[in-house]
Amino acid sequence: NSFREDGKIYSNMTGIVFLDSDTISVIPFKYTYKPKYGDLIIGRVTSSSYSSWTININSTYQGYLSTSELYDKNEQNMNQIINIKDILLLRVAQVDEINRVKLTIRSHGLGKFNQGTIVRVKQPTVHFLSEENAFLTSMIQEYTCTDMIVAKNGLIWINGLKENVDKILKIIEEIENQPFKHNLIKIVQSKIMNL
């Protein structure tokens, strides 16, 4: 989302600038999730057919999970395993030329959420917590005694005691409300210590 012109670097959108050695990238404030191979995402089952489930992946695109992902000769009714409105942790297995998004749950830790809270966040927050500062996410979990999964499609799963989930929601709100991220690590660390 950045380009060079006349020896200067510009962005073609409004967002947060991230510098990584010799690379400059801009994470837009307004962003529609575009699935990529290997992305860890959270989705909600919206419909089912004999061959697949349709998954809302918080994008302009729909995801599809094949029933063959859960094929078991002893299982007669796949709807007994996955139902409409279930929330799943998945990975993007393939995005084809017409942007059909094939999903998978064939990996350790993937599958249906049976508890926890899902919160939708802005893309800079996802980028900040999942890529730039994974240690910060670990610190948040440790200090609040919760489990947390930051998905690439702008959703975060949090599981723990209600008062601890509320603490994380306050931290996320702090991150979301900061217009600039350069001092955010210190701000979040201070917030964690004062909870």
Side-chain angles (χ1 to χ4, degrees):
N1 299 318
S2 60
F3 61 94
R4 189 183 299 271
E5 188 175 286
D6 297 329
K8 295 182 180 180
I9 298 173
Y10 298 91
S11 173
N12 57 13
M13 60 184 58
T14 304
I16 304 235
V17 175
F18 282 95
L19 305 174
D20 183 18
S21 62
D22 61 347
T23 303
I24 296 175
S25 57
V26 177
I27 308 303
F29 289 125
K30 292 187 177 179
Y31 177 86
T32 300
Y33 169 66
K34 293 179 183 173
K36 293 180 187 168
Y37 171 78
D39 281 357
L40 182 69
I41 64 168
I42 293 171
R44 183 173 59 85
V45 181
T46 57
S47 65
S48 65
S49 68
Y50 71 93
S51 62
S52 68
W53 291 276
T54 303
I55 313 289
N56 179 333
I57 59 172
N58 196 30
S59 173
T60 53
Y61 309 105
Q62 292 289 334
Y64 298 93
L65 178 67
S66 172
T67 54
S68 64
E69 288 277 323
L70 293 175
Y71 181 71
D72 182 341
K73 292 178 182 177
N74 297 320
E75 183 60 59
Q76 299 298 316
N77 185 356
M78 289 294 156
N79 288 326
Q80 291 177 355
I81 300 172
I82 294 178
N83 299 294
I84 293 174
K85 296 187 180 177
D86 280 350
I87 308 293
L88 308 174
L89 182 64
L90 311 121
R91 281 205 184 273
V92 176
Q94 179 185 15
V95 181
D96 67 19
E97 62 279 354
I98 59 170
N99 292 315
R100 281 190 312 181
V101 183
K102 182 180 177 186
L103 304 169
T104 183
I105 56 172
R106 285 185 180 172
S107 187
H108 179 69
L110 302 183
K112 189 188 327 188
F113 288 114
N114 293 314
Q115 56 191 0
T117 300
I118 305 287
V119 59
R120 181 176 294 168
V121 297
K122 299 172 187 170
Q123 197 60 29
T125 302
V126 170
H127 188 84
F128 181 78
L129 288 175
S130 65
E131 293 179 12
E132 295 300 305
N133 301 299
F135 78 94
L136 194 57
T137 304
S138 297
M139 183 190 299
I140 292 168
Q141 291 180 88
E142 184 179 336
Y143 275 86
T144 59
C145 299
T146 55
D147 294 317
M148 185 173 160
I149 297 172
V150 181
K152 289 284 190 179
N153 61 331
L155 299 169
I156 298 178
W157 172 80
I158 309 163
N159 189 41
L161 297 174
K162 184 184 183 308
E163 57 267 28
N164 293 333
V165 171
D166 289 343
K167 289 177 184 177
I168 290 187
L169 294 176
K170 287 178 183 173
I171 293 168
I172 290 172
E173 184 179 3
E174 186 81 32
I175 294 170
E176 295 265 284
N177 290 333
Q178 291 294 325
F180 303 105
K181 306 293 190 206
H182 60 278
N183 289 326
L184 193 51
I185 293 174
K186 290 181 181 177
I187 291 169
V188 172
Q189 284 174 327
S190 174
K191 183 86 174 173
I192 291 169
M193 299 301 182
N194 293 319
L195 286 175

